[in-house]
Amino acid sequence: MTSTYQNKLKILFWILAVYVLSFICYVPTLLERHGVIFPREFLLLKYLFVCIPAMTTIALSIYEHSFQECFVRMFSGKITIRHILNWIAVLIVGIAANHCYSYIAGVSVYQNAYVSFTAFFMSCVYLLMTAFLEELAWRGFLLERLPFKKKIHRILFVGVIWAMWHMPMWVIRNSLGMEQIGFLCVWTLLISIVLGETYDRCRNVLL
């Protein structure tokens, strides 16, 4: 087999493994809603969901004997002042978009969000940690391995796969409807474009 064909098979295996293992994390929660009684420990599996892509990436890189090479590549780019300024600009645009939505929809996006500053701080820490784990897998690994020649095709492919990966969380954990999920898929794809372009330019998942 050629190396390109082997790489495609490994990518397919990685995606399937991530999907199956991620879904398994929500099986106890799904069964509990249908009256099946589980020990509390099994229900905590849903919190492992966000770690599955990174764990699968680590397992595959160890199998390939490319663990060090894989992870060095993810942090190979230098983060410059220009990168940081661009990041701040994106942050400001994101906050402005939230406030525009809040004004147009007539709802407060921050009302009752956090009961205290400590809760807000812990939420930020949790989100940064989970985002870091996700980026190791989706941008640092999958985006790097895709064989598409055009960058936009790689970025869009990762965005679609990433959005679909969120389905168990949206459907089982959050009990969202199809309209809400549709909006979230579009939103996730847009975020993936920003993250994919950022990683492609700086080659560092930290940014």
Side-chain angles (χ1 to χ4, degrees):
M1 286 188 289
T2 64
S3 58
T4 303
Y5 182 69
Q6 286 181 330
N7 184 50
K8 288 179 180 178
L9 281 180
K10 287 176 182 177
I11 290 172
L12 179 60
F13 171 78
W14 184 90
I15 293 171
L16 289 175
V18 167
Y19 277 10
V20 171
L21 294 173
S22 297
F23 178 74
I24 288 172
C25 291
Y26 278 103
V27 168
T29 302
L30 183 63
L31 292 177
E32 187 197 37
R33 290 188 180 176
H34 289 82
V36 180
I37 305 301
F38 274 95
R40 184 68 183 170
E41 292 75 16
F42 284 96
L43 298 176
L44 296 176
L45 270 176
K46 62 177 177 279
Y47 297 110
L48 189 62
F49 171 82
V50 74
C51 303
I52 293 298
M55 291 168 64
T56 308
T57 297
I58 292 169
L60 182 57
S61 64
I62 291 174
Y63 170 77
E64 293 179 325
H65 304 289
S66 61
F67 180 82
Q68 184 175 355
E69 176 189 343
C70 179
F71 282 85
V72 166
R73 185 176 63 245
M74 294 180 190
F75 304 95
S76 61
K78 182 180 179 182
I79 299 177
T80 65
I81 296 297
R82 183 178 179 181
H83 287 140
I84 294 172
L85 291 175
N86 286 338
W87 174 81
I88 292 171
V90 170
L91 180 64
I92 292 170
V93 169
I95 293 172
N98 270 350
H99 282 86
C100 287
Y101 168 80
S102 176
Y103 177 76
I104 293 169
V107 296
S108 174
V109 293
Y110 302 114
Q111 185 178 7
N112 300 324
Y114 302 101
V115 295
S116 66
F117 178 79
T118 302
F120 171 74
F121 177 77
M122 293 306 296
S123 180
C124 288
V125 171
Y126 169 77
L127 289 172
L128 283 171
M129 289 174 61
T130 55
F132 176 71
L133 288 174
E134 287 192 42
E135 290 313 296
L136 287 178
W138 299 106
R139 255 57 62 174
F141 175 79
L142 185 59
L143 188 65
E144 283 276 5
R145 295 286 293 259
L146 291 176
F148 304 131
K149 292 181 180 179
K150 291 188 176 181
K151 176 177 67 176
I152 188 62
H153 292 166
R154 289 187 288 114
I155 290 174
L156 289 175
F157 182 85
V158 172
V160 171
I161 298 297
W162 190 41
M164 291 174 62
W165 170 72
H166 284 86
M167 289 296 178
M169 182 177 70
W170 292 337
V171 175
I172 300 172
R173 182 177 175 179
N174 299 334
S175 303
L176 300 180
M178 289 307 300
E179 183 180 358
Q180 294 168 302
I181 290 173
F183 280 118
L184 282 171
C185 283
V186 173
W187 180 241
T188 304
L189 186 59
L190 291 174
I191 292 174
S192 183
I193 291 172
V194 174
L195 295 175
E197 181 66 27
T198 300
Y199 179 75
D200 190 75
R201 290 188 179 208
C202 78
R203 281 293 189 273
N204 195 317
V205 295
L206 286 175
L207 188 64

